[in-house]
Structures are given as C-alpha cells and as structure tokens.
Amino acid sequence: MGRPIELTFQIPPGFKGPLVVRLDRKLLTSAGTDPNSAKHGTDDASRLWFAKRHRKTTQSMTKRPAKHSAGTHQPNATGFLKLPPELRNKIYGLLFVSQNELRFSNPQFSLSSAFLRTCKQVHDEGRTVLYGESTFVFERNRNSRSPFWDPVAKEIGYKDMRRFLTMIGDNLALLRQIRVVFEDATPSSLPYVRSQEERRFIHDEHLIECLRILRRAELKKLTLCFHGRKTLTEYDGVSFLGRVCEIQADKVDIISNPRCWYMESKIHYTVKEPLVKSMTRDPPLYTVK
C-alpha cells in the first residue's frame, strides 16, 4: 500500500459549510501505483495541467495570423477590403467623384474625403480617384472673416485656395482637371482698399502663390476664366502672365465662366492665343478626349 494522501483545509472562523471535496479517481489510482506519486501526486498533476495549458497557448499563438501593413494585400481581410478592386473603385467613384465640378470649399467634399482616414490602404487607393478623377474649381471667395486677434473682417479671396493646395502635399501631383476663375475684388468685399487697380486679381499675392504651386501639378486639362473690370493685356500683367505660363497641361482652354455665361472673357486676343500655346504640353502625358 502506498502512503496515504494528506489533505489540509484551513477553514476561517464563522464558516458554516457545507465543505465539499471532490477527488479525481485517476489521481488516486496513479498515486497508488507509484510509491513516490503519493508524495508528489498533487505537484505532478499541477505540472501536467500547466504543461497542457502552455502547449495549447503556444499552438494558438502560432496559428494567429501575422499582422499586415495597411498598404499590402491582406488575404484574410474582411469587410470593405475583402471586396474586389473593381468594386472598391466604383465605391470610391460614388464617394469622391461628383457629376458636377468639385469646389473644395463645399462641405460635401470634406465629408466624403474623411473616408480616406479609414486605413492606409484605403487612403492610397482612394486618393488617386479623389484627386485624379474629380474636376476642382477655384474661384474668388467674396465672403469675409477675421482671425480672433483682428477685429477687421477681410475678404477670403484666394486664401483658401492657397491653403488647400498647400495642405494636400504630395497629392498635388495627382490633380488632373482644374478650372481657375480669375476675378477682381469688389469695393464691398475690400472696403479698406481704395484703388481699383489694387483690387485686380493680377496683384493678389495669394493667387500668385497658388499659380506657383500649380507648377508641380501634372494636369491633363486646365480651364481658365478671366473676368474683371479691365481686359488683361500684355502690358499690365507681365509678372502675372509669367506665373500663369509656368503651368503646363495637355489641354488648355480659356473660356467664359459657365456660372456667369453672360460675362465675356476679359483677356485680349493678342494674349490669349500665345498663352494657350505656351501652356499646352507637347508631347502630352495623357490621352485627352
């Protein structure tokens, strides 16, 4: 007969029971066959339990799928990323591409572009559709606002256009179709500027900076609309026209603003044709319809 198994219970004061003890028959049988198992039976059972638990944990960790970077293909992806690329592109088109032109100050643009924050893969795929297949229209914003430190409200003008082109960073190279409407400021929007000459768009520092930034864009189609109180000639817009000529596109059009079709284009014909010719890229980068 083997040595008996000793069980010690420390019952706290006030315990009224019942005290139930359940022993495994296998533990008692193994303890009876091995003389040393009676002494170490409990320890062996504990070690066996921990060994099995450790083995199951290790197996589950090895079967766990490895983490993939957001920009790589994820074969085990679920939800939106599990859809075929063709369907994802259609969804991007419905989110980002509007039948009408996209004005960057439109709240709908900011809401739809928030989808790019989903993950890196969605950002890399969706931004090519957002910036590459949309037509962006930049116009003078005649609304006024002032920062908290300045009590005088000033016209927004082309400030938001400049901020937008700067904010999108590398996405600037993805822009393909844009339309820029050149307009003078009105006395009501710029009451602190007395001279009409100073209110002309050719002197707007924010607009000139926007033209400098657009040199880096690989445009497919560029549409320009010239409006103002004076017709733009080669004599009064030398520095301004120099900035405009630096922008290149496969197709360049100078038209009247579609939103104000009744207003004729304020650019002299002696400037219009040379300007279009100097801005048209030859040979073209894309196939323009």
Side-chain angles (χ1 to χ4, degrees), residues 245-283:
C245 290
E246 294 175 352
I247 305 175
Q248 298 292 303
D250 289 356
K251 182 177 177 57
V252 180
D253 290 329
I254 298 180
I255 62 173
S256 299
N257 188 359
R259 300 182 66 187
C260 304
W261 55 268
Y262 51 87
M263 298 178 60
E264 62 176 322
S265 182
K266 291 298 188 67
I267 181 172
H268 201 269
Y269 72 93
T270 58
V271 179
K272 179 179 179 179
E273 294 181 2
L275 186 63
V276 172
K277 184 177 180 179
S278 63
M279 299 178 65
T280 304
R281 187 185 295 112
D282 188 21

Side-chain angles (χ1 to χ4, degrees), residues 5-11 19 21:
I5 299 177
E6 297 180 0
L7 301 177
T8 303
F9 301 95
Q10 296 182 356
I11 302 176
L19 177 62
V21 180

Side-chain angles (χ1 to χ4, degrees), residues 12-32:
F15 178 76
K16 297 182 180 180
L19 177 62
V20 180
V21 180
R22 291 186 175 89
L23 299 179
D24 190 354
R25 293 181 177 274
K26 295 181 179 179
L27 180 61
L28 296 175
T29 304
S30 60

Side-chain angles (χ1 to χ4, degrees), residues 63-96:
K63 293 181 180 179
R64 186 176 301 171
K67 294 183 178 180
H68 296 271
S69 60
T72 59
H73 177 65
Q74 301 181 16
N76 298 326
T78 58
F80 178 75
L81 296 179
K82 194 175 182 180
L83 296 175
E86 296 80 7
L87 292 181
R88 294 204 300 269
N89 288 334
K90 288 184 178 180
I91 295 176
Y92 294 141
L94 294 174
L95 283 173
F96 303 139

